[in-house]
Amino acid sequence: MLLPMSKVQIVGSKEKLAATLRVIQRLGTLQVEDMAEHGQGPIVARLALDTKAQKHRDEMNLLAARLESLAHIVPPGLPRSSLSRSYPDVTLKSTEQLIAEASQLVDAVGPKTQELILRRDGLEAEHASLSRYQATLHKVLPLTADIPRLAGYETLALLIERRSSAVLDSIRQRLSALVGDNFDVNVRHLDQQTTAAIFVFPKERSGEVNALFGQENISPLRLPQEMTGTSLAETLAAMERRLSEIPEAIESVEIELRQLGESCWLSVKLLRAAMSDRLAQLEVVGMLGGTRYIFVLVGWIPRRSVEGLKTALANHVGPEVLVNECEVDKDEMKRAPVALANPPAVRPFEFLIALTALPRYGALDPTPLMAFFMPLFFGLILADIAYGLVLLLLATLTLRFCRKGVYRSLMHILLLCGFWSILFGI
């Protein structure tokens, strides 16, 4: 059903504005209206952030972004129940305290986390690169068996497409003109697509030979800098040793990241959530009206929650803030927001209603009708015992992992659909 709504006006001392917004945000039952829609008049003007609040907003935006990046990098080290238990204590802190704690955390954890991430990424990139080199060298290595190792000579490997192997004749002719007969080349077709070539030439002509390949727009196989100056067989053995060492190094970095997560995950999550809430409060300030000393807030709230709002403000803010219910006409009630309240069995279908369009205030809530007819017609169309059992099994298993949210609501709907499918199948 649709809850009856009330329009309220909250008036209080500007000194209590931040505390008032924190209470309203924590309750989550009041939708704030923009004062520009109510005709502010010459006395009540739109509120604006002062210089201090603007500075806090800029600092929190920067810190929130850095905390967001840390939250994605640092793996969780504590159960999420710890977050809900500790969050109320964080919301009671002042904005200055939050900024100071977030800055200290980011400065302490950020550089170390970044260092570990860069090290891990570097190791993963090295592993991928060496794996490609290893596969290529395995193809080229058989060609080196026919070439003796000579002092003062350099070996250069080349892989090209087989259809372009005619370019090797051009290279051979230009190399002959460059160094005479003082070179050798061994060519072999590795498979239907690839041709490999090994060139042996004097070391002192290395620069000219490499320039020749550059003129032909050919890139020879270049080994990592630390593996140059050795034979291909020695290079391949060194690569295999390094490839066996890299996974252990990556695992070591992951362990350090997990230990870092266990030490700071809760603080990162709490401060990020608190920063997001404070920034949302600052956004709301621009929707309020006020004078030099007071603020005026107008919003909609379910009628049954008005007394709870008054009690919460009186307990946590004090008598400096007053809550008044406004009288509204029929035309204004048409603009009232919609709040749905249905029994637990019907509640999962509310998100399906929200996917299309919520009903207008004062209209019929279609959620109970959808809760009855949708699973019924689904079962009538499917009407299969086996498929119904599969739906029941999948929904039951998924519900064990989805504690709340849209997916849990969807699984409840699938349970009903599976039940009706089995019933009509029978």
Side-chain angles (χ1 to χ4, degrees):
M1 67 175 183
L2 301 183
L3 291 178
M5 302 296 290
S6 292
K7 188 175 183 180
V8 296
Q9 182 186 68
I10 302 175
V11 181
S13 168
K14 267 190 177 180
E15 296 177 354
K16 301 293 184 179
L17 175 59
T20 301
L21 292 177
R22 283 199 292 270
V23 171
I24 292 173
Q25 189 177 53
R26 189 162 60 247
L27 291 176
T29 55
L30 179 70
Q31 178 173 307
V32 180
E33 291 265 292
D34 194 335
M35 285 293 294
E37 301 176 4
H38 298 276
Q40 300 162 6
I43 300 177
V44 179
R46 182 190 289 270
L47 288 184
L49 296 177
D50 56 25
T51 306
K52 183 178 179 182
Q54 291 177 5
K55 181 182 177 182
H56 286 164
R57 181 190 59 191
D58 296 339
E59 290 177 342
M60 285 192 294
N61 274 320
L62 177 60
L63 288 170
R66 297 180 68 183
L67 288 169
E68 183 73 21
S69 63
L70 280 179
H72 286 92
I73 291 173
V74 177
L78 291 172
R80 295 193 178 274
S81 57
S82 302
L83 185 65
S84 58
R85 288 197 303 268
S86 306
Y87 186 67
D89 297 332
V90 178
T91 58
L92 296 177
K93 295 180 179 180
S94 66
T95 302
E96 290 84 355
Q97 288 176 316
L98 282 179
I99 292 175
E101 288 189 20
S103 300
Q104 184 178 3
L105 178 65
V106 167
D107 292 340
V109 178
K112 179 63 175 177
T113 304
Q114 191 68 23
E115 176 195 345
L116 292 172
I117 293 299
L118 290 175
R119 195 195 310 171
R120 184 186 64 186
D121 292 346
L123 289 169
E124 291 174 348
E126 182 185 2
H127 191 277
S129 175
L130 290 180
S131 297
R132 290 193 298 269
Y133 277 122
Q134 184 187 38
T136 304
L137 286 180
H138 272 297
K139 294 179 180 179
V140 175
L141 190 62
L143 277 73
T144 63
D146 302 332
I147 299 176
R149 295 189 61 182
L150 301 174
Y153 281 79
E154 184 174 337
T155 303
L156 189 147
L158 181 69
L159 289 176
I160 60 174
E161 293 184 4
R162 188 167 181 175
R163 63 184 180 182
S164 304
S165 58
V167 75
L168 294 175
D169 294 332
S170 172
I171 294 176
R172 189 182 283 110
Q173 293 175 4
R174 298 187 62 180
L175 199 57
S176 177
L178 185 64
V179 299
D181 295 331
N182 196 16
F183 78 95
D184 194 10
V185 59
N186 189 4
V187 179
R188 184 178 297 178
H189 297 301
L190 300 179
D191 51 44
Q192 294 181 350
Q193 289 83 29
T194 310
T195 295
I198 296 287
F199 292 87
V200 182
F201 52 88
K203 260 183 188 177
E204 64 268 13
R205 311 302 292 272
S206 177
E208 299 169 83
V209 174
N210 280 283
L212 171 63
F213 280 102
Q215 293 169 6
E216 295 290 341
N217 292 321
I218 295 176
S219 299
L221 175 63
R222 301 193 182 278
L223 298 175
Q225 186 66 31
E226 63 273 12
M227 296 184 179
T228 56
T230 60
S231 67
L232 292 182
E234 293 171 343
T235 300
L236 187 58
M239 283 184 181
E240 290 174 348
R241 285 195 303 272
R242 181 58 182 160
L243 284 171
S244 65
E245 295 169 357
I246 289 177
E248 294 182 10
I250 293 176
E251 179 60 26
S252 175
V253 173
E254 293 287 355
I255 291 174
E256 287 190 63
L257 271 176
R258 284 195 291 270
Q259 291 173 346
L260 191 62
E262 292 173 0
S263 65
C264 70
W265 177 83
L266 183 60
S267 298
V268 169
K269 293 287 186 180
L270 287 172
L271 288 170
R272 185 183 63 157
M275 289 284 179
S276 178
D277 286 349
R278 293 295 167 88
L279 287 170
Q281 293 169 20
L282 292 178
E283 293 257 343
V284 171
V285 171
M287 302 171 63
L288 310 184
T291 65
R292 184 176 179 182
Y293 299 105
I294 68 167
F295 71 88
V296 180
L297 183 152
V298 176
W300 294 90
I301 186 172
R303 193 168 297 160
R304 67 182 186 183
S305 302
V306 173
E307 291 302 321
L309 174 65
K310 292 180 178 179
T311 302
L313 289 174
N315 292 337
H316 295 94
V317 182
E320 296 90 343
V321 176
L322 302 176
V323 180
N324 302 311
E325 288 192 66
C326 305
E327 293 185 6
V328 292
D329 53 28
K330 291 184 179 180
D331 292 334
E332 196 169 8
M333 285 302 299
K334 293 179 181 178
R335 299 193 302 108
V338 172
L340 301 178
N342 289 290
V346 179
R347 203 171 297 148
F349 292 84
E350 290 180 357
F351 92 94
L352 291 179
I353 299 297
L355 287 178
T356 53
L358 289 171
R360 293 180 60 184
Y361 185 78
L364 176 68
D365 180 10
T367 310
L369 297 175
M370 178 174 280
F372 178 75
F373 285 107
M374 180 190 166
L376 180 69
F377 285 134
F378 186 97
L380 181 62
I381 294 170
L382 189 61
D384 188 280
I385 299 174
Y387 282 127
L389 288 172
V390 170
L391 279 179
L392 285 177
L393 179 62
L394 289 176
T396 303
L397 291 176
T398 308
L399 277 173
R400 297 181 62 183
F401 302 100
C402 298
R403 300 299 180 188
K404 58 181 179 180
V406 172
Y407 289 110
R408 187 170 183 83
S409 298
L410 183 59
M411 292 307 108
H412 279 294
I413 295 172
L414 288 181
L415 282 175
L416 292 173
C417 292
F419 168 76
W420 284 108
S421 299
I422 294 171
L423 191 63
F424 279 106
I426 295 172

